[in-house]
Amino acid sequence: MNAQLIRQSGIFHYTYTVTGVAGCTDNSAEVTVTIGGYSGVTSPNVSVCSSVKSFNLFQAFSGLSLAPQSNGQWHNDTNNVDVRNVINVDGVEGTYQFTYTMPAIGTCPAVSSTAVITIFKAPESGVAKDLLLCASNGLSGYTNYDLFSALSGQDSGGVWRDVNARSTGELTSLGDHVIDVQKIYDRFGQGDFYFTYTVASTNPICQDVQSTVRVHLEDKLDFTGATMKVNDDICETEIPNATYSVRINKGPAAIPNGSYYVTFRVSGPNGGTERITATFNNGVISFFIRPDYFQQAGIFNVNILSIIPTNSAGICNNIINNLSDDLIIYAIPDLAGAQIPESHFCQNADALVQISNATKVTNGTYEIRYNLSGANTVFNQVAQATFSGGNASFTVPAIFNTNTGTTQILITTITHVASRCGNTANLTGNLIIDPLPDLSSLIIRANDICTDGVVTAVVSGFKNLTDVTLSYTLSGSNVAGVQVIPLTITNNSASFVIPSNLIPNTGSTTISVTNLVNNVTNCGVNVSGTTDEFVITAYPAAPVAGNQEFCKIDQSTIANLVPNGNQYKWYDSATATTPLAATELLTSGNYYLRETTGGCTSDPTMITVTINDTPAPVLNQDGQNFCGLDNPTIANLSNNTNESSTIVWYDAPNNGNLLPSTTLLADKAKYYGFDVSTVTRCISSEYIEVAVSLIDCDSPEYTFFVPDGFSPNGDGINDTFTIPDIDFLYPNYSLEIFNRYGNGMYKGFKNKPAWDGINYEQSGIGGGIAPNGVYFYILYFNKDNRPPQQGRLYLNR
């Protein structure tokens, strides 16, 4: 045994065994060996640079002697603390003493060795951090970049150097540490640029150190406008043999040729995210996609998540936008289990055929081929139907629905339009074609109204219809678009009220029926020519009328009120509805006037009617008596009343002639006096009747003259013998005329006052025309006892 090869002190046991033979057992003996401690021989002086970070104290032993055993204990005599054999010298500076002691064991004492170690501080060039920039995002913040910003923990006093193969020219002196990254990019473009900071050692033990800052500039890749195509959409039956590839064409921006990492995501039950390496060449990159993603019918979206060069630091967010494409594996359409419900349609109209429960047809647009039989027959027609959730519809054109009754439809094939994946079919259903309404007798009538009235439209001529929906429009003074109203028909007629908000304007409006739908079958037809005109008249304003006065004597009636005319009606109250007759006499009080225009009556205007009258005049006592010799006139008669200045006289009580004041009064004539109000100018309704007497003459007051001759020759001058004024002075007189023979020729009195020369008293030879000559008269006065007067007169023809 070489004890020096045992690197630890301690007690060791060794066993020697002799193997037994011939049935004898093994026999062993144990030897115990105690190895004492050995602390080794240290070098006289040990120098260490702190840059080594850690120092193994066993390195302080001289390599010329036997190395110490390893199970001793190191002690830092300088700091008086036990330490392990490896110490940290990073950042430490100075001389330290360490003692290595091997413990005593058995009869061997403890032994120690001492090492003196001097630690020299290494220069620090700092920890460099790469400056990674996406140049496309702008470098304006790095035009004055201090390289020290990329270092930490460095010593001062070092020197920066541009160590690029082509100098950037940014460091112009030993003390320069500021660079313009923008200029570097402008000159060299994207790439890596290196700058080294070197700090010289201040002792012979440590080496100079340096740290290198990398400035990495990248351009952002812009895939805006890029297109992507996943090849190819297939039918479900093609899955086993299909392969799938992606082709991406770059957009307007340049994309450098080279190797790229492409990360994409595939949707679907077997979908996932994958990164592959592919090569862009002349703006195109292509790669295959594993078919594992596409194992059943469906829509699979392949979405590009990122595209970055394989040599990129990944600091630019390349512009991808929505770069994706759908791969569609179309299911084979199958109409098994689908249904076409029986539906009603209108004659000469499109029929919308509904398909339901098509659970084996995926959503999409399909080409349907069908045949029609029954009421309408057609073969091998093509239509398109869009399926969603197992339901779809398509249109059978109106040209195929001209006959009413039941038409059977049979769908024979179904083909997906986009993929042309198709299948045969045997799906049938019934289409019931209902007849259109017969409106050949349809008419509409609407009533005229006043502005607040209700316009009722009456529609008739429905024939056998019972429940309809009518559409109409308004034109003219009131315009309204299509209005729709349901109508229930009774006795071939229905009515509805036109909403007042549709007819706010006065004037003529035309209502036109535009469409009518039979609500029982939902079949409708457009209508033309069924119109009517109605008029909305505004209520006239309350008419203008003022208070009015009338004279009672005029017997004024309603017809005398103004205004008048057929449009005006007078009432005895504001609420009365029956107008007063035009012949009704007016009385003092209130009357109400309404104007009616176009059947619309205004609000009433109230006026007050006043019937004026004045009392009948009163004749003074004996005011009717005059002397005819005074030639009394109407004026004299007026002066004999109590209203001499306002009285007027007529020759009859009704419809008489107004007599001027200068009219001479006639004896025994009757005169009718009415008073006239100076305020109202009304003649009194009552009157006085005066019979005038002209014989109130006092005879002695008046001269009396009896003519002494006359000439009845017809020349109009003195043709009769008349005693002037005698009928006034002696109204009861009598006169007798005799010839010279005493024969009576004439007898006169008041009512026979004039002799015309005819012998009225005799007949035969004595009668006839009295000859010229002298005649004699006797005048009897018969008044005041005056004796008769005799005289002569001469007749000369």
Side-chain angles (χ1 to χ4, degrees):
M1 178 182 69
N2 185 353
Q4 290 186 344
L5 296 179
I6 300 175
R7 302 308 305 147
Q8 293 183 345
S9 64
I11 299 174
F12 302 90
H13 301 277
Y14 299 90
T15 301
Y16 178 70
T17 300
V18 178
T19 304
V21 295
C24 296
T25 61
D26 295 343
N27 190 16
S28 298
E30 182 179 274
V31 177
T32 298
V33 180
T34 299
I35 303 298
Y38 175 67
S39 60
V41 178
T42 61
S43 299
N45 290 293
V46 178
S47 295
V48 178
C49 182
S50 63
S51 63
V52 300
K53 306 299 182 184
S54 60
F55 179 71
N56 192 330
L57 292 175
F58 286 114
Q59 293 178 263
F61 289 94
S62 172
L64 300 178
S65 61
L66 183 64
Q69 294 173 325
S70 64
N71 59 332
Q73 175 64 53
W74 284 97
H75 181 77
N76 186 336
D77 300 333
T78 304
N79 295 333
N80 193 25
V81 60
D82 288 339
V83 295
R84 295 191 179 194
N85 62 297
V86 177
I87 61 172
N88 180 22
V89 296
D90 186 20
V92 179
E93 186 177 11
T95 300
Y96 299 85
Q97 178 176 299
F98 296 88
T99 299
Y100 182 65
T101 302
M102 290 298 297
I105 186 170
T107 60
C108 300
V111 292
S112 297
S113 297
T114 299
V116 177
I117 299 173
T118 301
I119 302 173
F120 291 90
K121 184 179 182 301
E124 294 287 348
S125 60
V127 178
K129 179 177 66 176
D130 289 344
L131 179 62
L132 307 177
L133 298 175
C134 182
S136 301
N137 293 336
L139 299 172
S140 59
Y142 299 91
T143 57
N144 194 29
Y145 181 71
D146 189 342
L147 289 171
F148 282 117
S149 300
L151 288 181
S152 60
Q154 75 277 7
D155 292 338
S156 60
V159 177
W160 284 97
R161 290 183 176 84
D162 186 334
V163 295
N164 296 288
R166 292 178 60 193
S167 174
T168 64
E170 287 300 305
L171 298 180
T172 58
S173 65
L174 290 177
D176 193 358
H177 53 84
V178 176
I179 61 174
D180 186 337
V181 179
Q182 181 69 61
K183 285 184 178 180
I184 296 174
Y185 176 75
D186 292 342
R187 182 178 178 187
F188 299 100
Q190 67 177 354
D192 289 323
F193 304 90
Y194 300 94
F195 299 89
T196 298
Y197 180 65
T198 302
V199 180
S201 175
T202 59
N203 58 74
I205 303 302
C206 296
Q207 301 293 319
D208 295 345
V209 294
Q210 65 181 23
S211 297
T212 300
V213 173
R214 179 173 70 126
V215 178
H216 179 77
L217 303 180
E218 282 189 16
D219 287 330
K220 180 183 295 185
L221 299 181
D222 187 355
F223 290 92
T224 300
T227 59
M228 172 181 170
K229 175 63 178 175
V230 180
N231 293 322
D232 276 322
D233 296 344
I234 61 174
C235 296
E236 185 178 12
T237 53
E238 301 176 74
I239 291 177
N241 300 315
T243 59
Y244 311 95
S245 64
V246 175
R247 177 186 174 94
I248 299 174
N249 291 345
K250 73 176 187 65
I255 304 297
N257 292 340
S259 178
Y260 287 80
Y261 293 124
V262 180
T263 303
F264 61 88
R265 181 173 57 240
V266 180
S267 66
N270 301 318
T273 301
E274 183 177 349
R275 187 177 84 163
I276 56 91
T277 302
T279 301
F280 252 109
N281 187 21
N282 295 326
V284 178
I285 190 171
S286 299
F287 55 92
F288 286 98
I289 302 180
R290 292 181 292 110
D292 301 354
Y293 294 119
F294 316 108
Q295 293 300 305
Q296 62 278 316
I299 299 176
F300 304 88
N301 179 259
V302 180
N303 184 28
I304 303 300
L305 302 178
S306 69
I307 304 176
I308 59 174
T310 55
N311 61 353
S312 169
I315 55 176
C316 287
N317 292 322
N318 294 336
I319 300 173
I320 300 297
N321 294 326
N322 183 23
L323 190 56
S324 67
D325 190 28
D326 287 339
L327 173 71
I328 304 176
I329 300 178
Y330 295 95
I332 299 300
D334 187 354
L335 288 176
Q339 295 177 345
I340 297 178
E342 182 176 281
S343 301
H344 285 257
F345 302 99
C346 298
Q347 182 182 12
N348 297 327
D350 291 344
L352 187 64
V353 179
Q354 302 286 345
I355 301 175
S356 61
N357 297 326
T359 57
K360 297 180 181 180
V361 179
T362 58
N363 294 347
T365 301
Y366 293 81
E367 180 183 279
I368 302 293
R369 287 187 178 271
Y370 65 91
N371 299 330
L372 298 181
S373 60
N376 297 281
T377 302
V378 70
F379 298 98
N380 201 30
Q381 297 301 307
V382 179
Q384 281 196 352
T386 299
F387 282 77
S388 177
N391 299 314
S393 62
F394 64 93
T395 299
V396 173
I399 193 173
F400 299 147
N401 301 317
T402 57
N403 300 322
T404 61
T406 301
T407 297
Q408 185 180 67
I409 184 169
L410 168 63
I411 296 177
T412 59
T413 65
I414 178 171
T415 303
H416 188 257
V417 171
S419 67
R420 304 312 297 171
C421 299
N423 202 352
T424 59
N426 185 26
L427 179 60
T428 63
N430 290 330
L431 313 179
I432 310 302
I433 309 302
D434 293 320
L436 298 177
D438 181 0
L439 303 181
S440 57
S441 302
L442 189 70
I443 60 173
I444 187 169
R445 293 292 180 264
N447 59 301
D448 297 338
I449 62 165
C450 302
T451 48
D452 62 351
V454 175
V455 177
T456 300
V458 179
V459 189
S460 59
F462 291 103
K463 294 192 174 179
N464 60 344
L465 300 177
T466 59
D467 184 9
V468 300
T469 295
L470 180 141
S471 299
Y472 67 91
T473 61
L474 300 179
S475 60
S477 297
N478 295 283
V479 177
V482 176
Q483 306 295 310
V484 179
I485 184 168
L487 297 176
T488 299
I489 301 167
T490 303
N491 296 326
N492 199 34
S493 177
S495 65
F496 63 93
V497 173
I498 300 177
S500 59
N501 63 300
L502 297 181
I503 48 174
N505 303 318
T506 59
S508 177
T509 299
T510 298
I511 182 171
S512 302
V513 179
T514 59
N515 184 269
L516 189 137
V517 176
N518 181 353
N519 291 336
V520 176
T521 64
N522 288 324
C523 292
V525 292
N526 292 328
V527 181
S528 63
T530 301
T531 65
D532 191 35
E533 183 180 48
F534 61 92
V535 178
I536 301 176
T537 303
Y539 282 104
V544 177
N547 296 334
Q548 300 175 41
E549 296 185 6
F550 298 90
C551 298
K552 182 177 181 181
I553 193 173
D554 294 334
Q555 294 291 288
S556 297
T557 65
I558 293 296
N560 296 111
L561 291 173
V562 291
N564 52 38
N566 292 334
Q567 72 270 38
Y568 297 107
K569 293 292 185 291
W570 292 90
Y571 301 83
D572 56 8
S573 75
T575 59
T577 57
T578 302
L580 298 171
T583 58
E584 182 168 332
L585 287 175
L586 295 174
T587 61
S588 293
N590 294 332
Y591 288 83
Y592 299 84
L593 173 64
R594 295 179 184 268
E595 181 180 353
T596 300
T597 302
C600 300
T601 301
S602 70
D603 290 334
T605 296
M606 187 191 79
I607 69 166
T608 298
V609 170
T610 302
I611 303 300
N612 296 308
D613 198 9
T614 189
V618 177
L619 183 68
N620 297 339
Q621 185 174 1
D622 296 328
Q624 75 277 12
N625 296 325
F626 297 92
C627 178
L629 297 178
D630 294 332
N631 294 318
T633 65
I634 288 296
N636 299 118
L637 181 59
S638 296
N639 291 333
N640 288 349
T641 68
N642 64 329
E643 299 289 351
S644 59
S645 62
T646 58
I647 194 170
V648 292
W649 296 90
Y650 291 84
D651 58 5
N654 296 305
N655 299 318
N657 297 309
L658 177 65
L659 301 176
S661 61
T662 58
T663 301
L664 292 174
L665 298 177
D667 187 43
K668 297 183 180 179
K670 290 184 178 181
Y671 298 91
Y672 303 90
F674 297 82
D675 191 15
V676 178
S677 171
T678 58
V679 177
T680 66
R681 304 308 301 165
C682 286
I683 298 176
S684 60
S685 61
E686 300 295 331
Y687 58 89
I688 57 171
E689 180 182 307
V690 178
V692 172
S693 172
L694 298 182
I695 61 173
D696 187 20
C697 298
D698 189 0
S699 302
E701 295 181 8
Y702 300 94
T703 59
F704 183 70
F705 166 72
V706 178
D708 58 0
F710 69 108
S711 56
N713 55 11
D715 63 358
I717 301 173
N718 294 324
D719 284 335
T720 62
F721 175 75
T722 303
I723 301 173
D725 301 327
I726 189 170
D727 53 341
F728 298 121
L729 295 173
Y730 303 100
N732 295 319
Y733 79 95
S734 62
L735 175 67
E736 293 182 359
I737 298 177
F738 303 92
N739 61 16
R740 61 185 178 177
Y741 304 108
N743 296 322
M745 300 296 292
Y746 174 76
K747 287 184 180 180
F749 50 92
K750 182 177 182 179
N751 293 330
K752 187 181 176 184
W755 183 44
D756 57 2
I758 301 298
N759 183 357
Y760 293 98
E761 299 303 320
Q762 295 183 14
S763 60
I765 297 176
I769 299 173
N772 292 343
V774 175
Y775 293 84
F776 301 92
Y777 67 87
I778 298 175
L779 176 60
Y780 299 94
F781 292 101
N782 299 323
K783 180 181 178 182
D784 298 331
N785 295 318
R786 183 175 180 173
Q789 177 180 325
Q790 296 183 3
R792 64 179 183 181
L793 60 94
Y794 183 76
L795 186 156
N796 182 18
R797 294 186 186 280

